[in-house]
């Protein structure tokens, strides 16, 4: 095991609430151990697989569209939950995280540990502003991601 911890903020900051993943990664700077890899991705599966290659723990932070929508509602999902949860919901990206996880599983490229922190979104239209509900959820979302990173580092450095 490498002990490598990677946080990936998935989304596009130019599409309103879809920018929550990248915003959370920015908010994590200085709040997690220096050897934590902080990255942003547009959600394209090949790039995601490349970003988490060799990682022991991957924390994904992203936007989630649900029906009915509850903008600002937070979700924390394990790998198994993420695959099942995303089948019933729509990603804000063309190729959803559930699809990417299925591909990674087929290619034997899943990380040993993966957790997804997601916030339900309202608006993913062109624009650079997060909606009030999603912006208000950012501190709690960032806290959840930071706690996942701390737990991963504690596991990696346990005797």
């Amino acid at each position: 095991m490498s002990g490598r911890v990677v946080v990936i903020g998935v989304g596009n900051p130019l599409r309103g609430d879809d920018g929550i993943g990248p915003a959370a990664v920015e908010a994590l700077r200085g709040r997690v151990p220096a050897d934590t890899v902080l990255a942003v991705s547009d959600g394209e599966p090949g790039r995601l697989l490349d970003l988490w290659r060799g990682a022991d723990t991957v924390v994904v932070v992203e936007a989630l569209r649900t029906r009915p929508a509850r903008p600002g509602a937070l979700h924390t999902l394990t790998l198994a939950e993420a695959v099942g949860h995303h089948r019933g919901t729509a990603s804000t990206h063309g190729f959803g995280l559930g699809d990417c996880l299925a591909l990674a599983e087929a290619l034997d490229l899943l990380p040993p540990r993966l957790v997804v922190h997601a916030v339900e979104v309202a608006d993913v239209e062109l624009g650079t502003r997060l909606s009030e509900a999603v912006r208000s959820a950012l501190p709690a979302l960032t806290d959840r991601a930071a706690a996942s990173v701390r737990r991963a580092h504690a596991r990696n450095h346990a005797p």
Side-chain angles (χ1 to χ4, degrees):
M1 286 218 183
S2 68
R4 186 169 177 245
V5 178
V6 177
V7 179
I8 305 170
V10 178
N12 181 344
L14 300 177
R15 294 196 65 93
D17 288 346
D18 193 40
I20 191 67
V25 166
E26 278 306 308
L28 285 170
R29 294 192 191 284
R31 292 192 55 193
V32 295
D35 60 343
T36 303
V37 176
L38 298 175
V40 171
S41 172
D42 61 3
E44 193 279 321
R47 286 189 279 278
L48 282 173
L49 297 178
D50 191 46
L51 285 170
W52 73 45
R53 185 181 317 271
D56 287 327
T57 302
V58 174
V59 178
V60 175
V61 185
E62 74 158 351
L64 179 67
R65 285 193 292 188
T66 59
R67 301 278 185 250
R70 295 175 303 145
L74 297 174
H75 300 269
T76 298
L77 309 167
T78 63
L79 173 61
E81 292 168 333
V83 171
H85 193 284
H86 285 272
R87 283 188 187 130
T89 59
S91 172
T92 58
H93 319 290
F95 199 78
L97 183 61
D99 298 320
C100 182
L101 295 173
L103 176 63
E105 184 175 38
L107 297 173
D108 197 27
L109 295 174
L110 285 173
R113 283 183 294 282
L114 181 135
V115 62
V116 177
H117 296 290
V119 61
E120 291 185 35
V121 299
D123 179 15
V124 293
E125 298 302 317
L126 287 177
T128 58
R129 296 182 55 94
L130 298 174
S131 67
E132 181 57 36
V134 171
R135 186 173 40 259
S136 295
L138 180 60
L141 180 67
T142 304
D143 288 346
R144 287 184 182 200
S148 291
V149 170
R150 285 191 299 275
R151 282 191 296 274
H153 280 286
R155 255 191 320 270
N156 292 341
H157 296 100

mmCIF file with all atom_site columns, all heavy atoms in Angstrom, residues 27-38:
data_model
loop_
_atom_site.group_PDB
_atom_site.id
_atom_site.type_symbol
_atom_site.label_atom_id
_atom_site.label_alt_id
_atom_site.label_comp_id
_atom_site.label_asym_id
_atom_site.label_entity_id
_atom_site.label_seq_id
_atom_site.pdbx_PDB_ins_code
_atom_site.Cartn_x
_atom_site.Cartn_y
_atom_site.Cartn_z
_atom_site.occupancy
_atom_site.B_iso_or_equiv
_atom_site.pdbx_formal_charge
_atom_site.auth_seq_id
_atom_site.auth_comp_id
_atom_site.auth_asym_id
_atom_site.auth_atom_id
_atom_site.pdbx_PDB_model_num
ATOM 1  N N   . ALA A 1 27 ? -11.312 24.878 -0.951 1.00 0.00 ? 27 ALA A N   1
ATOM 2  C CA  . ALA A 1 27 ? -11.535 25.095 0.472  1.00 0.00 ? 27 ALA A CA  1
ATOM 3  C C   . ALA A 1 27 ? -10.705 24.143 1.339  1.00 0.00 ? 27 ALA A C   1
ATOM 4  O O   . ALA A 1 27 ? -10.437 24.433 2.509  1.00 0.00 ? 27 ALA A O   1
ATOM 5  C CB  . ALA A 1 27 ? -13.017 24.960 0.796  1.00 0.00 ? 27 ALA A CB  1
ATOM 6  N N   . LEU A 1 28 ? -10.289 23.015 0.791  1.00 0.00 ? 28 LEU A N   1
ATOM 7  C CA  . LEU A 1 28 ? -9.478  22.045 1.532  1.00 0.00 ? 28 LEU A CA  1
ATOM 8  C C   . LEU A 1 28 ? -8.007  22.441 1.616  1.00 0.00 ? 28 LEU A C   1
ATOM 9  O O   . LEU A 1 28 ? -7.288  21.945 2.486  1.00 0.00 ? 28 LEU A O   1
ATOM 10 C CB  . LEU A 1 28 ? -9.591  20.657 0.899  1.00 0.00 ? 28 LEU A CB  1
ATOM 11 C CG  . LEU A 1 28 ? -10.882 19.913 1.157  1.00 0.00 ? 28 LEU A CG  1
ATOM 12 C CD1 . LEU A 1 28 ? -10.956 18.674 0.275  1.00 0.00 ? 28 LEU A CD1 1
ATOM 13 C CD2 . LEU A 1 28 ? -11.015 19.538 2.632  1.00 0.00 ? 28 LEU A CD2 1
ATOM 14 N N   . ARG A 1 29 ? -7.554  23.306 0.738  1.00 0.00 ? 29 ARG A N   1
ATOM 15 C CA  . ARG A 1 29 ? -6.135  23.694 0.742  1.00 0.00 ? 29 ARG A CA  1
ATOM 16 C C   . ARG A 1 29 ? -5.769  24.266 2.108  1.00 0.00 ? 29 ARG A C   1
ATOM 17 O O   . ARG A 1 29 ? -6.431  25.143 2.621  1.00 0.00 ? 29 ARG A O   1
ATOM 18 C CB  . ARG A 1 29 ? -5.841  24.686 -0.369 1.00 0.00 ? 29 ARG A CB  1
ATOM 19 C CG  . ARG A 1 29 ? -6.027  24.053 -1.739 1.00 0.00 ? 29 ARG A CG  1
ATOM 20 C CD  . ARG A 1 29 ? -5.467  24.889 -2.876 1.00 0.00 ? 29 ARG A CD  1
ATOM 21 N NE  . ARG A 1 29 ? -5.896  24.351 -4.151 1.00 0.00 ? 29 ARG A NE  1
ATOM 22 C CZ  . ARG A 1 29 ? -5.403  23.256 -4.734 1.00 0.00 ? 29 ARG A CZ  1
ATOM 23 N NH1 . ARG A 1 29 ? -4.458  22.579 -4.134 1.00 0.00 ? 29 ARG A NH1 1
ATOM 24 N NH2 . ARG A 1 29 ? -5.859  22.837 -5.903 1.00 0.00 ? 29 ARG A NH2 1
ATOM 25 N N   . GLY A 1 30 ? -4.714  23.702 2.694  1.00 0.00 ? 30 GLY A N   1
ATOM 26 C CA  . GLY A 1 30 ? -4.273  24.122 4.013  1.00 0.00 ? 30 GLY A CA  1
ATOM 27 C C   . GLY A 1 30 ? -5.005  23.445 5.158  1.00 0.00 ? 30 GLY A C   1
ATOM 28 O O   . GLY A 1 30 ? -4.650  23.636 6.318  1.00 0.00 ? 30 GLY A O   1
ATOM 29 N N   . ARG A 1 31 ? -6.013  22.640 4.861  1.00 0.00 ? 31 ARG A N   1
ATOM 30 C CA  . ARG A 1 31 ? -6.788  21.958 5.905  1.00 0.00 ? 31 ARG A CA  1
ATOM 31 C C   . ARG A 1 31 ? -6.510  20.463 5.981  1.00 0.00 ? 31 ARG A C   1
ATOM 32 O O   . ARG A 1 31 ? -7.044  19.783 6.861  1.00 0.00 ? 31 ARG A O   1
ATOM 33 C CB  . ARG A 1 31 ? -8.292  22.142 5.652  1.00 0.00 ? 31 ARG A CB  1
ATOM 34 C CG  . ARG A 1 31 ? -8.757  23.558 5.848  1.00 0.00 ? 31 ARG A CG  1
ATOM 35 C CD  . ARG A 1 31 ? -10.251 23.653 5.882  1.00 0.00 ? 31 ARG A CD  1
ATOM 36 N NE  . ARG A 1 31 ? -10.824 22.766 6.892  1.00 0.00 ? 31 ARG A NE  1
ATOM 37 C CZ  . ARG A 1 31 ? -12.112 22.462 6.972  1.00 0.00 ? 31 ARG A CZ  1
ATOM 38 N NH1 . ARG A 1 31 ? -12.960 22.959 6.106  1.00 0.00 ? 31 ARG A NH1 1
ATOM 39 N NH2 . ARG A 1 31 ? -12.567 21.658 7.907  1.00 0.00 ? 31 ARG A NH2 1
ATOM 40 N N   . VAL A 1 32 ? -5.741  19.952 5.034  1.00 0.00 ? 32 VAL A N   1
ATOM 41 C CA  . VAL A 1 32 ? -5.428  18.524 5.005  1.00 0.00 ? 32 VAL A CA  1
ATOM 42 C C   . VAL A 1 32 ? -3.912  18.364 4.972  1.00 0.00 ? 32 VAL A C   1
ATOM 43 O O   . VAL A 1 32 ? -3.193  19.303 4.620  1.00 0.00 ? 32 VAL A O   1
ATOM 44 C CB  . VAL A 1 32 ? -6.094  17.828 3.788  1.00 0.00 ? 32 VAL A CB  1
ATOM 45 C CG1 . VAL A 1 32 ? -7.610  17.860 3.908  1.00 0.00 ? 32 VAL A CG1 1
ATOM 46 C CG2 . VAL A 1 32 ? -5.655  18.448 2.486  1.00 0.00 ? 32 VAL A CG2 1
ATOM 47 N N   . PRO A 1 33 ? -3.412  17.188 5.352  1.00 0.00 ? 33 PRO A N   1
ATOM 48 C CA  . PRO A 1 33 ? -1.968  16.982 5.322  1.00 0.00 ? 33 PRO A CA  1
ATOM 49 C C   . PRO A 1 33 ? -1.362  17.326 3.954  1.00 0.00 ? 33 PRO A C   1
ATOM 50 O O   . PRO A 1 33 ? -1.996  17.120 2.907  1.00 0.00 ? 33 PRO A O   1
ATOM 51 C CB  . PRO A 1 33 ? -1.812  15.490 5.635  1.00 0.00 ? 33 PRO A CB  1
ATOM 52 C CG  . PRO A 1 33 ? -3.028  15.168 6.464  1.00 0.00 ? 33 PRO A CG  1
ATOM 53 C CD  . PRO A 1 33 ? -4.126  16.014 5.874  1.00 0.00 ? 33 PRO A CD  1
ATOM 54 N N   . ALA A 1 34 ? -0.152  17.843 3.984  1.00 0.00 ? 34 ALA A N   1
ATOM 55 C CA  . ALA A 1 34 ? 0.507   18.345 2.772  1.00 0.00 ? 34 ALA A CA  1
ATOM 56 C C   . ALA A 1 34 ? 0.687   17.279 1.700  1.00 0.00 ? 34 ALA A C   1
ATOM 57 O O   . ALA A 1 34 ? 0.732   17.604 0.510  1.00 0.00 ? 34 ALA A O   1
ATOM 58 C CB  . ALA A 1 34 ? 1.853   18.962 3.129  1.00 0.00 ? 34 ALA A CB  1
ATOM 59 N N   . ASP A 1 35 ? 0.772   16.002 2.086  1.00 0.00 ? 35 ASP A N   1
ATOM 60 C CA  . ASP A 1 35 ? 0.986   14.962 1.078  1.00 0.00 ? 35 ASP A CA  1
ATOM 61 C C   . ASP A 1 35 ? -0.320  14.463 0.456  1.00 0.00 ? 35 ASP A C   1
ATOM 62 O O   . ASP A 1 35 ? -0.313  13.551 -0.364 1.00 0.00 ? 35 ASP A O   1
ATOM 63 C CB  . ASP A 1 35 ? 1.796   13.797 1.643  1.00 0.00 ? 35 ASP A CB  1
ATOM 64 C CG  . ASP A 1 35 ? 1.137   13.110 2.819  1.00 0.00 ? 35 ASP A CG  1
ATOM 65 O OD1 . ASP A 1 35 ? 0.207   13.689 3.432  1.00 0.00 ? 35 ASP A OD1 1
ATOM 66 O OD2 . ASP A 1 35 ? 1.555   11.984 3.151  1.00 0.00 ? 35 ASP A OD2 1
ATOM 67 N N   . THR A 1 36 ? -1.439  15.076 0.799  1.00 0.00 ? 36 THR A N   1
ATOM 68 C CA  . THR A 1 36 ? -2.726  14.749 0.174  1.00 0.00 ? 36 THR A CA  1
ATOM 69 C C   . THR A 1 36 ? -2.749  15.356 -1.221 1.00 0.00 ? 36 THR A C   1
ATOM 70 O O   . THR A 1 36 ? -2.430  16.533 -1.400 1.00 0.00 ? 36 THR A O   1
ATOM 71 C CB  . THR A 1 36 ? -3.891  15.328 0.994  1.00 0.00 ? 36 THR A CB  1
ATOM 72 O OG1 . THR A 1 36 ? -3.816  14.831 2.328  1.00 0.00 ? 36 THR A OG1 1
ATOM 73 C CG2 . THR A 1 36 ? -5.231  14.965 0.374  1.00 0.00 ? 36 THR A CG2 1
ATOM 74 N N   . VAL A 1 37 ? -3.097  14.559 -2.200 1.00 0.00 ? 37 VAL A N   1
ATOM 75 C CA  . VAL A 1 37 ? -3.210  15.058 -3.572 1.00 0.00 ? 37 VAL A CA  1
ATOM 76 C C   . VAL A 1 37 ? -4.593  15.682 -3.727 1.00 0.00 ? 37 VAL A C   1
ATOM 77 O O   . VAL A 1 37 ? -5.606  15.022 -3.512 1.00 0.00 ? 37 VAL A O   1
ATOM 78 C CB  . VAL A 1 37 ? -3.026  13.918 -4.596 1.00 0.00 ? 37 VAL A CB  1
ATOM 79 C CG1 . VAL A 1 37 ? -3.233  14.434 -6.022 1.00 0.00 ? 37 VAL A CG1 1
ATOM 80 C CG2 . VAL A 1 37 ? -1.653  13.270 -4.439 1.00 0.00 ? 37 VAL A CG2 1
ATOM 81 N N   . LEU A 1 38 ? -4.624  16.967 -4.089 1.00 0.00 ? 38 LEU A N   1
ATOM 82 C CA  . LEU A 1 38 ? -5.876  17.678 -4.347 1.00 0.00 ? 38 LEU A CA  1
ATOM 83 C C   . LEU A 1 38 ? -5.967  17.937 -5.838 1.00 0.00 ? 38 LEU A C   1
ATOM 84 O O   . LEU A 1 38 ? -5.067  18.554 -6.412 1.00 0.00 ? 38 LEU A O   1
ATOM 85 C CB  . LEU A 1 38 ? -5.924  18.999 -3.574 1.00 0.00 ? 38 LEU A CB  1
ATOM 86 C CG  . LEU A 1 38 ? -5.884  18.884 -2.054 1.00 0.00 ? 38 LEU A CG  1
ATOM 87 C CD1 . LEU A 1 38 ? -5.806  20.266 -1.415 1.00 0.00 ? 38 LEU A CD1 1
ATOM 88 C CD2 . LEU A 1 38 ? -7.096  18.120 -1.534 1.00 0.00 ? 38 LEU A CD2 1
#
